[in-house]
Amino acid sequence: MVHRSHFDAQRGLSAEACAAYARDGVLVLEDFVPQAQCLALQQRARQLVAEHAPRAPGTVFSTTDQRHAQDAYFAASARGIGAFFEAGAFDAQGQLCVPLERAINKLGHALHDLDPVFHAFSHGPRLQAVAEALGLVAPQLVQSMYIFKQPGIGGEVNCHQDATYLYTAPQSVVGFWFAIEDAHRGNGCLGGLPGAHRHGLKEVFRRQSDGALRLESLQAAMPWDMDSLEWLEVRQGTLIIFNGLFPHLSEPNHSAQSRHAYTLHAVSGQATYPASNWIQPSGVPFTGF
Ligand code: FE2
């Protein structure tokens, strides 16, 4: 079972919690975020959707022009703020079939640097203390996402490792996953494979010599033992921290309840951050906590 603990500002993380994180590649800290703060982030996310969704490339159907517009929008969101639709928000004709505020899958990927509300939430001594206790040296924040997992249409996320998308040498990325609402089996909570981070990285998403971003297999034959899958049902305000090599997934949300989460990814400032990663600190430099 994944270890569940609490963060104490005076004493920091317990030795037991740190050992569990090293063993499992994941740690659950309950009651990390007060309810009022969760509600403030929800409210701000709604405002950002109203601001950004009308300009987001609209449809999941791929004429070449739409594909290019979507690729350019995705690239600009690396150090900007973009809104991305749920695939299930469109009908067979490519028309939105849910209200705009229920149609967005996520906001990303530099909320933590560019939006004042998310900036304030993402920086500070508490997160810095947690990151350092878990062995992250000179943390640099490289990515943030607000994930809506909309009722009825929230899409499935296949089993993956976050280090695939944020590669460093040596591997250093740590994910901070904040439950902004209760997350359970019914609304598509996280699931993961405790201990499987020790088997290394399966694939990497990086810019190739032709300039295109593609997934590249590093260990094609590496199996993930899905029998060891553990569901991480958590209450609002819980922080789940995981190693960039921790394989994780979530199921579709067919329930009438959304499952909002905010994620933040940090890497070590002492690791090599390659120019082939899709997110580059050009224009807007990376910041620490
Ligand atoms: Fe992930």
Side-chain angles (χ1 to χ4, degrees):
M1 288 288 285
V2 168
H3 186 76
R4 291 183 181 235
S5 184
H6 288 84
F7 177 72
D8 183 305
Q10 263 74 54
R11 281 177 290 176
L13 281 184
S14 68
E16 195 188 358
C18 294
Y21 177 78
R23 181 189 67 226
D24 297 333
V26 58
L27 174 66
V28 174
L29 296 181
E30 294 175 326
D31 307 312
F32 191 84
V33 185
Q35 187 188 37
Q37 233 177 340
C38 291
L39 296 177
L41 289 196
Q42 266 184 295
Q43 191 187 2
R44 184 60 188 149
R46 269 197 295 273
Q47 290 168 346
L48 289 172
V49 166
E51 199 179 311
H52 292 275
R55 289 197 303 278
T59 168
V60 290
F61 291 94
S62 52
T63 68
T64 306
D65 278 357
Q66 282 168 347
R67 190 73 251 160
H68 285 158
Q70 286 175 341
D71 287 351
Y73 187 81
F74 178 69
S77 78
R79 298 301 289 150
I81 298 177
F84 298 88
F85 287 98
E86 292 279 5
F90 298 93
D91 64 19
Q93 280 71 47
Q95 301 298 312
L96 261 193
C97 55
V98 293
L100 197 57
E101 65 274 15
R102 285 284 179 96
I104 296 300
N105 165 286
K106 69 176 177 188
L107 294 164
H109 294 87
L111 301 165
H112 63 288
D113 278 325
L114 300 179
D115 180 75
V117 175
F118 282 95
H119 183 285
F121 180 83
S122 307
H123 294 79
R126 281 179 91 216
L127 283 174
Q128 166 97 19
V130 171
E132 282 179 356
L134 297 178
L136 189 61
V137 181
Q140 293 278 287
L141 306 181
V142 293
Q143 174 181 265
S144 52
M145 292 183 276
Y146 191 93
I147 301 164
F148 294 89
K149 205 80 170 180
Q150 300 283 3
I153 59 166
E156 177 181 15
V157 177
N158 290 324
C159 194
H160 68 281
Q161 296 163 302
D162 290 346
T164 289
Y165 303 95
L166 297 167
Y167 185 87
T168 67
Q171 138 57 29
S172 66
V173 64
V174 174
F176 297 79
W177 192 101
F178 302 89
I180 304 303
E181 294 183 300
D182 291 349
H184 48 79
R185 286 300 303 279
N187 66 356
C189 67
L190 272 189
L193 310 180
H197 65 297
R198 279 173 270 158
H199 303 312
L201 186 60
K202 193 176 172 68
E203 49 191 5
V204 61
F205 180 72
R206 61 182 161 199
R207 201 168 294 284
Q208 310 291 315
S209 50
D210 64 0
L213 287 163
R214 271 195 296 275
L215 265 181
E216 223 178 289
S217 179
L218 299 177
Q219 300 189 64
M222 184 170 74
W224 276 332
D225 174 16
M226 299 312 281
D227 290 343
S228 68
L229 177 64
E230 183 174 334
W231 295 107
L232 299 169
E233 295 192 301
V234 296
R235 287 193 312 272
Q236 180 185 53
T238 301
L239 166 58
I240 303 176
I241 308 160
F242 47 88
N243 184 300
L245 297 176
F246 173 66
H248 58 282
L249 53 84
S250 66
E251 291 184 314
N253 181 9
H254 295 308
S255 79
Q257 214 180 9
S258 56
R259 192 230 66 191
H260 291 194
Y262 176 60
T263 68
L264 189 60
H265 287 89
V267 298
S268 167
Q270 291 185 350
T272 301
Y273 189 89
S276 53
N277 276 350
W278 84 277
I279 295 181
Q280 292 297 320
S282 45
V284 185
F286 294 151
T287 55
F289 283 107

